[in-house]
Amino acid sequence: MHPAKSVIYFTVATGAGYGLMGWLAVFGVLGLVPADHAFGIAAFGLAFFLIVSGLLSSTGHLGRPERAWRALSQWRSSWLSREGVLAILSFGPTGLYALAWVLLGQNSGLVGIIGLVGAGLCMMTVFATSMIYASLKTIPGWSNRWVSIGYLVMSLMSGSVLMLVLQSTFTVGASGLIIKIAIFFLALGGIIKLLYWHSLSTLPARSTATTATGLGGLGANGQVRMVESPHSEDNFLLKEMGYKIARKHAHALKRLALVLGFIIPMALVATLAVLAPEYSLPVSLLAMVFVALGLATERWLFFAEAKHVVTLYYGETEI
Amino acid sequence: MDANPFATLKEDVDLSPEVADEVKCTTCYMCACRCGIRVHLKDGKIRYIEGNPDHPVNQGVLCAKGSAGIMQQYSPAKLKKPLLRTGERGSGEFREIEWDEALVLATNWLGEVRECDPGKLAFFTGRDQSQSFTGWWATQYGTHNFAAHGGFCSVNMAAGGLYTLGGAFWEFGEPDWDLTKYFMLFGVAEDHDSNPIKIGLGKLKTRGEAKFVAVNPSRNGYNAIADEWVGVRPGTDGLFIFAIIHELLRAEKIDFASLARYSNAPWLVIDEPGQPDHGLFLRDAKGNPLVWDLVRKKAINANLADITPAFAGARTVKKRNVIPSFELLAKRYLDDEFSPDAVAEITGIPATTIRRIAAELAHVAFEEEVVIEREWTDAWGRKHDKMIGRPVSFHAMRGISAHSNGFHTCRALHILQVLLGSVDVPGGWRYKAPFPKPVPPGVRPAGPAKKPGDTLTGPPLGFIKSPDDLIVDENGAPQRIDKAFSWEHPLSLHGMMHMVLHNAANADPYKVDVLFMYMANMAWNSSMNVQGTLDYFTAKDESGAYKIPKIIYSDAFWSETVPYCDLILPDTTYLERWDCISMLDRPISSAHGAGDAIRQPVLTPEGDVRPFADVLLDLGHRLGLQGMSKKDGNPQYPGGYVDYMVNHERVAGSGIGPLAGWRGKDGGEQGRGEPNPDQIVRYIENDCFWTQDLAPEQLYFKPVNQSYLNHAVMMGWIGHADPVIFQLYNEDLQKFRLAAQGHGQRQPPHQHRDRIETYFDPLPIWYMPFEEAEVDCKQYPLHALSQRPMHMYHSWGSQNAWLRQITSSNKLHIHVDTAGALGIKDGDWVWIESRHGRVKGAVKLITGVNPQTVWTWNAIGKRKGAWNLSEAAPEANKGFLLNHIISEVLAPGKNGQRYSNSDPVTGQAAWFDLRVKISKCAPAEAGATEPVFERFPQSPGATPAPGVSRYGASLKGAPTGKKANTRGWVGNRHENSLGITGLADGKGNTIKGGET
Amino acid sequence: MTSLPQNPSKVKLGLVIDLDICVGCHACAVNCKEWNTSGTMAPLTDMDPYGAQPDGVWFNRVHTYEAVDEAAGTSRTVHFPRSCLHCDDAPCVTVCPTGASYKREDDGIVLINTDICIGCKLCSWACPYGAREYDEDEGVMKKCTLCIDKIYNENLPVESRVPACVSTCPTGARSFGDLGDPQSDVSKLVAARGGYALMPEQGTAPVNRYLPPRPKKLGERHAPRMLEHHDDSADGAGLLARWVDKVLSA
Ligand SMILES: Nc1nc2c(c(=O)[nH]1)N[C@H]1C(S)=C(S)[C@@H](COP(=O)(O)OP(=O)(O)OC[C@H]3O[C@@H](n4cnc5c(=O)[nH]c(N)nc54)[C@H](O)[C@@H]3O)O[C@H]1N2
Ligand SMILES: Nc1nc2c(c(=O)[nH]1)N[C@H]1C(S)=C(S)[C@@H](COP(=O)(O)OP(=O)(O)OC[C@H]3O[C@@H](n4cnc5c(=O)[nH]c(N)nc54)[C@H](O)[C@@H]3O)O[C@H]1N2
Ligand code: SF4
Ligand code: SF4
Ligand code: SF4
Ligand code: SF4
Ligand code: SF4
Ligand SMILES: [Mo]
């Protein structure tokens, strides 16, 4: 699949924003961070910025962004629609929670419940996003059980690193816990990614050029090859779905994603436990940058590596 | 309002929008197939073009090209105004001029030539569908240097057929699609009969009973759906056919009864080597050929009704040694030289396959006869109570004809048909009116006009029967600029357009003053040796003047040729003019009956353009040509071409004119009759065509069917009702051979003698195609072919926004094994090199091709800037032409003479003789084709090509809110119903009342 | 309500394509374009139509495949037109966030309301068959309409009320009708010829059917035996001698 920048940004940014939103509620409710005014402004500002800019960026992928509002109507059947509805719904409680935190200085108790509802909606939004991909049978690399888990974990993971950055900046609350959480999610994220990639490589082909054309019966060991394309130049299908990445490059990029997005941040975060507090801001910031790079690479691969069964009509033999 | 973002908006799609303001019928000309179309017009633009279901040619279907007519009409490459060259030839610099100036200039140029030496006008009309008109114009003007594109197209096919059967394949005949049980298709990718062949194959395959064998080095298109694909090596079909004949002879599976009646097989040939009439038929005093009658035990007139002829045996008749021509034929092909084993290797067809196919043919022909219980009477007055058919049929086109041995191969195939008794019989191959004609037809080509101002004594093209008919001077030198009808290519019935530029620039045999061309892209895809041809266009003499002094050209588009000409007469498109698809040219007849058609203007011409036919008549009048100007100086056809279509008569008072339908004062006559002022109206009322069904008893055995022959005479198709006898052994060819052996008044100049003697064999021979024989086949191990894409018409499809999306660049198709051995992978760029030059292109690996053959799509490669395509168009950067590496001449012979790269008998261009070697190009060379020629500027006054085309957006019909019943439609014809119980029969099947 | 019809009628209009006789001529593709460029989803925009990368909206595209059996050393060339299959379980409909993509209750035709499509392209991701065509110029998705504005159109003569690709197909490889009715002509055709669905494993339940290329005919009925030679000499002289006095034409 064509890895569109807008969509990569959208999934990474909203994932991190929603993850952060989730941690804010959890930490708030559990009283692990006080309802600090400055911290609140920064944290919610960051979360909302990521979410809103992500959502806006996703409309950049639309042919008719001015009609984007129409995407809300089919929540009964469409994950994209559900995602939109959930995103909007989540703004209510998360907004209220943010207001309470920032204006009223409250983040637990009754307010906390609102926060938790918001966090739930945030996670549901992330889940809905993941289901847009995971529900596509046409792309076996996506209709995979690790996809949704991955999206959720990656969201919480990047959110936890952001949380860490924020805590380091404002030195509020107990940073020990968030360090453990971040390490846990970074490890979990890496493992899930590895499991996902492993499952991709062991995935049996669901469709083949033979099932796509039904021409397998013409020979006992039927193999179907395209010898003439319907058009000499690439068309929409090939531009959108015919994206190909060499196996060699994919391997290199996977390693890169793993190192950048998971291993290095994990190491950096781990050092925080022993480093002097003045290092925690630069180190956590660095970890955040690595996570962003890693996730962008991971997400790019998520698209670039995904093969669509329609390419079976254009020369692929099995997918 | 639909403002609620959560509400589902339900579209109420309009099921019955308005479609058109008007629907006009006319005839398609996106190719030469002549299909009937209905053009739906809305706001003066084309909304939709569909096939006319009532039209006999296409029966409602429309091919990809025809369906893309809209984009032809709105092509940005359309010429808009007459052009006069201002820069050098080839620079593309022109000045737009008014028609008045253009016509005065043309009249002056043409007038000067006509006053001095009218033969110095070379008038060549390319893809013309109206040669009876353009040829007539040449006759009236007085130039014998006229021809159309047939010489480089498929004249071998035409000559092979007309000199054997009095009819030919092309679109002049067709298999009996409904009854045939075995169909063999030789060397066809698309053909002129595009839609009829597709309709036919669909029928035949759906019927399921017949077997379809495709003989072709390549397995694409039609060949892909064949039951058996015979991947013959190019240029060797003749041997394959001989081997089949060998098998049939050995097994005596020959339709002797039919041969006795309808062919010259039993005719007695003089067998006295060295005598001036050796090899000619022995004739009686009245000129009748003779046969040896086994019952009467004497030689009798072969044309008598009840003969029992001998097919073999040397005898002495009238003191002459004679043998039946069949014996000569049998002797030749019975020889082991032509056994399946002997030809297997060279043809690439296993001997067992050849034997099996011969056995299949024999089985179907002789054990599976088709019998129609219908009486008919033959030309001798014998009544037959039924029509018995041998249901094997054949069709062939350029795959066998575009080789330098094609004439003989085509004849071989027709002879096979005759031996099997399958010509014009139920289930066989059938003629379309006006064929069959005498073998060969009676028209002889006219030579130069006696003196300036004279008309020619007849049409410039015709059929040569003996050396006496050649257009050569007293020294035997060619008198035509293309050297057609000369000793170099005696039977070049269609002329040799491919040699005109070469000869004119080399003043060989002489210079011309004006070259006048119409509808032929000679500076590109219809020439061999493109670079050389461009040089001929621009060649100058010592004084700096162009060797071809003046070139007038009519095109409708900014083709590669326009920039090389001096005066451009912009034509309309096919939707903007009157045209005539006449019985005198290439009509729309089928085996079921005759038909002709017209084109009517359905749109007003865009730009200041004029139909070429109108312009020709206008020029004719300005020049004062007979038949185009009245005595009082007024034009003969003031109404232009449509006036001519109605009022012209071939011979004054003959009642035969361009259109055969609704003739006579009241329109009640067909074929012959006085001009009818209402004729065009009647055509338009009848969707722009006329057809006439043959009576049931006339449908088969036409060459010898009394009722048919009488009808054909009445209609003016043939001069007399004599039976048409198949000429297996061709005496006319023998006359040339005798001349070469030193007999007769007119003998070939010394240097041509061997050639004439070798290739004018009265029975088909096979020889290695010239290029293959001349080159080192180890050096050039592969055959290179081009094929027509079904969705493109030569060069003119690439300006079409829709068609070019399908194919905007071509690849070289090569067998995976062949490529593997050369280390070539799919998509690699390779040099394709012939002895003449090299061209670069990308490859596509396939398995459905003869491993010794590579092929590519024809005419996809374009010159930069031509057709107003952008400079970066794939056509000019990735697409390539094989024409660059095909030479128009052969290697110099012993005598130093360089003959045209053509068939030695007919002058057919030998496109498919090309031999090449393939090598992977250097990495830095990959990705772009070569050679690339200098870019042309855009045509003067060109509308800029749009970056986005939204054609149709404004033509969307207004809703009417109605809804009609829809209907099921199965397979477009009734054949499906034959094998499936309960399936509705008939085209379009049932209308499903009530179903919504 | 969900996006697939809840009370679908039994009528399932669709196409049947006979791969045994399709010659790959592209007539269906171009005629489709021609009709539909002024049809319900007008126009079928062409980008860069005279330039380096011409790429337009087509509802029907024709491929050519070789089905190769390397073990047996055989192969066949098959032409293969591809357009919307009007799936019963159309994923392109259920993924659509706007409801622009829908399946008609009356006849099962899958359409796009281009007035509300937001061009998210999700439906094109969901369709296994590449039947969705994005109009880059308008920013909306388009697709085969089964010529809905032709098959029901009162302004057209009866014989034209069939999909453009069907009536134009020169070989007659395309049929059209109600595949929901086992008694319809198309259903009988499919049954008789073993018509099949593409990629059934995708669970889309396509309505359109493809008829498989039939087995090749080699010999069998057409030549029960090889020809018997009546003379085996190198030049066949024996036969010629035999024919000298023989009445062969009786
Ligand atoms: N390598 C190779 N070369 C070949 C062949 C091959 O098989 N292989 N085939 C050969 C054969 S058989 C043929 S017939 C030739 C065909 O080659 P051409 O005879 O050159 O045919 P086209 O390319 O169709 O171009 C004819 C010209 O007619 C112009 N034209 C189109 N419509 C109109 C109109 O309405 N009015 C006027 N006045 N002009 C119009 C076009 O713009 C174009 O310039 O190619 C030959 N060349
Ligand atoms: N769509 C479309 N239709 C056209 C045209 C067009 O340009 N486009 N052009 C028209 C014109 S001008 C013409 S002349 C006709 C030509 O109609 P065709 O004769 O059908 O055209 P070609 O493409 O030349 O096809 C030649 C075929 O012969 C095969 N072949 C080559 N060499 C041999 C051989 O030695 N033996 C055998 N058995 N086969 C061989 C090639 O593989 C190819 O399939 O088509 C007409 N119709
Ligand atoms: S075959 Fe196609 S292009 Fe040729 S006349 Fe018929 S419809 Fe037109
Ligand atoms: S029109 Fe018919 S024969 Fe031609 S490609 Fe389409 S389905 Fe095949
Ligand atoms: S073929 Fe594709 S676009 Fe058509 S209904 Fe099925 S899934 Fe939808
Ligand atoms: S592109 Fe349009 S039709 Fe397709 S899913 Fe998106 S909104 Fe629906
Ligand atoms: S049914 Fe109509 S819209 Fe669909 S492919 Fe055929 S012609 Fe095109
Ligand atoms: Mo031709």
Side-chain angles (χ1 to χ4, degrees), chain B residues 654-668:
Chain B
S654 63
I656 294 179
L659 292 171
W662 299 285
R663 297 196 69 85
K665 274 268 174 294
D666 58 353

Side-chain angles (χ1 to χ4, degrees), chain B residues 31 65 127 149 153-154 170 186-192 194 215-218 220 223 232-237 397-400 403 785-794 858 912:
Chain B
C31 91
K65 295 156 283 156
R127 316 214 43 71
H149 75 284
C153 181
S154 209
W170 293 66
F186 284 75
V188 176
E190 168 70 348
D191 212 333
H192 287 288
S194 315
V215 184
N216 197 309
S218 173
N220 57 300
N223 305 292
V232 66
R233 191 169 73 84
T236 65
D237 301 71
M397 247 320 252
R398 296 184 62 256
I400 63 173
H403 288 287
L785 304 174
S786 60
Q787 301 198 60
R788 278 131 177 76
M790 292 184 187
H791 53 278
M792 279 281 178
Y793 201 61
H794 298 288
N858 187 46
F912 297 162

Side-chain angles (χ1 to χ4, degrees), chain B residues 202-203 205-208 970-971 975-977 979-981 983, chain C residues 16-22 76 171-175 185-197 209-215:
Chain B
K203 270 169 172 268
K205 287 220 63 179
T206 306
R207 256 196 306 126
V970 173
E975 274 71 16
N976 273 307
S977 67
I980 303 172
T981 31
L983 201 66
Chain C
V16 176
I17 296 165
D18 188 348
L19 299 181
D20 192 52
I21 55 176
C22 171
R76 267 181 91 154
T171 62
R174 304 176 74 94
S175 301
D185 287 341
V186 268
S187 296
K188 286 183 201 151
L189 179 64
V190 168
R193 291 281 308 282
Y196 62 87
R209 287 289 181 271
Y210 284 76
L211 306 181
R214 287 187 267 208

Side-chain angles (χ1 to χ4, degrees), chain B residues 79-387:
Chain B
L79 298 178
K80 298 284 171 57
K81 229 179 154 46
L83 301 174
L84 187 63
R85 185 172 56 78
T86 52
E88 292 286 304
R89 276 194 195 149
S91 68
E93 289 163 32
F94 286 97
R95 174 163 72 81
E96 292 191 330
I97 59 173
E98 298 304 321
W99 272 102
D100 261 350
E101 186 180 347
L103 291 170
V104 166
L105 203 58
T107 309
N108 288 345
W109 291 0
L110 296 170
E112 281 165 21
V113 178
R114 186 155 184 264
E115 259 167 44
C116 308
D117 182 358
K120 293 277 175 71
L121 165 67
F123 181 36
F124 284 79
T125 67
R127 316 214 43 71
D128 179 1
Q129 276 189 322
S130 50
Q131 282 155 48
S132 66
F133 168 65
T134 50
W136 172 78
W137 191 93
T139 303
Q140 305 314 106
Y141 178 94
T143 182
H144 60 299
N145 279 321
F146 164 85
H149 75 284
F152 58 64
C153 181
S154 209
V155 63
N156 271 341
M157 205 79 248
L162 290 166
Y163 280 81
T164 310
L165 304 180
F169 291 136
W170 293 66
E171 73 269 28
F172 302 122
E174 65 186 357
D176 192 348
W177 297 111
D178 295 312
L179 296 176
T180 194
K181 295 185 186 171
Y182 200 94
F183 173 57
M184 289 185 83
L185 184 68
F186 284 75
V188 176
E190 168 70 348
D191 212 333
H192 287 288
D193 232 4
S194 315
N195 279 333
I197 289 184
K198 295 187 188 82
I199 295 171
L201 288 176
K203 270 169 172 268
L204 177 136
K205 287 220 63 179
T206 306
R207 256 196 306 126
E209 176 197 27
K211 177 171 175 179
F212 166 25
V213 180
V215 184
N216 197 309
S218 173
R219 194 186 56 197
N220 57 300
Y222 305 156
N223 305 292
I225 66 165
D227 292 299
E228 182 169 3
W229 170 56
V230 180
V232 66
R233 191 169 73 84
T236 65
D237 301 71
L239 290 175
F240 173 48
I241 297 166
F242 292 163
I244 293 175
I245 293 176
H246 175 95
E247 282 290 294
L248 296 173
L249 286 168
R250 290 258 169 175
E252 298 182 284
K253 292 288 184 188
I254 302 290
D255 190 345
F256 284 106
S258 145
L259 287 183
R261 283 189 193 127
Y262 310 136
S263 84
N264 70 0
W267 292 8
L268 297 172
V269 175
I270 298 164
D271 184 20
E272 293 175 3
Q275 293 302 311
D277 53 1
H278 169 65
L280 301 184
F281 291 120
L282 183 68
R283 293 177 187 271
D284 65 15
K286 293 201 185 102
N288 294 310
L290 302 171
V291 293
W292 183 264
D293 193 283
L294 290 170
V295 175
R296 299 180 179 96
K297 301 228 175 332
K298 63 171 186 181
I300 58 164
N301 176 357
N303 294 329
L304 293 179
D306 293 303
I307 57 174
T308 313
F311 280 89
R315 293 181 172 86
T316 307
V317 174
K318 298 196 196 171
K319 302 207 184 103
R320 306 297 304 270
N321 297 333
V322 292
I323 58 175
S325 76
F326 184 80
E327 175 163 348
L328 296 170
L329 183 151
K331 232 186 205 150
R332 177 166 297 170
Y333 306 119
L334 273 170
D335 197 283
D336 257 359
E337 163 188 18
F338 297 127
S339 71
D341 291 304
V343 306
E345 196 185 326
I346 185 161
T347 57
I349 309 171
T352 45
T353 303
I354 304 176
R355 280 198 203 97
R356 178 172 45 74
I357 287 175
E360 290 176 13
L361 284 169
H363 179 80
V364 177
F366 300 109
E367 320 287 325
E368 298 197 1
E369 292 176 346
V370 185
V371 181
I372 301 178
E373 298 292 338
R374 187 183 301 154
E375 287 180 10
W376 66 286
T377 306
D378 69 26
W380 296 267
R382 290 175 292 206
K383 287 225 183 314
H384 301 256
D385 55 355
K386 32 183 178 287
M387 295 179 152

Side-chain angles (χ1 to χ4, degrees), chain C residues 84-87 90-92 110 127-129 131-132 143:
Chain C
C84 175
L85 309 161
H86 298 279
C87 306
C92 59
V110 174
C127 168
Y129 310 105
R132 302 231 144 201
K143 68 176 286 297

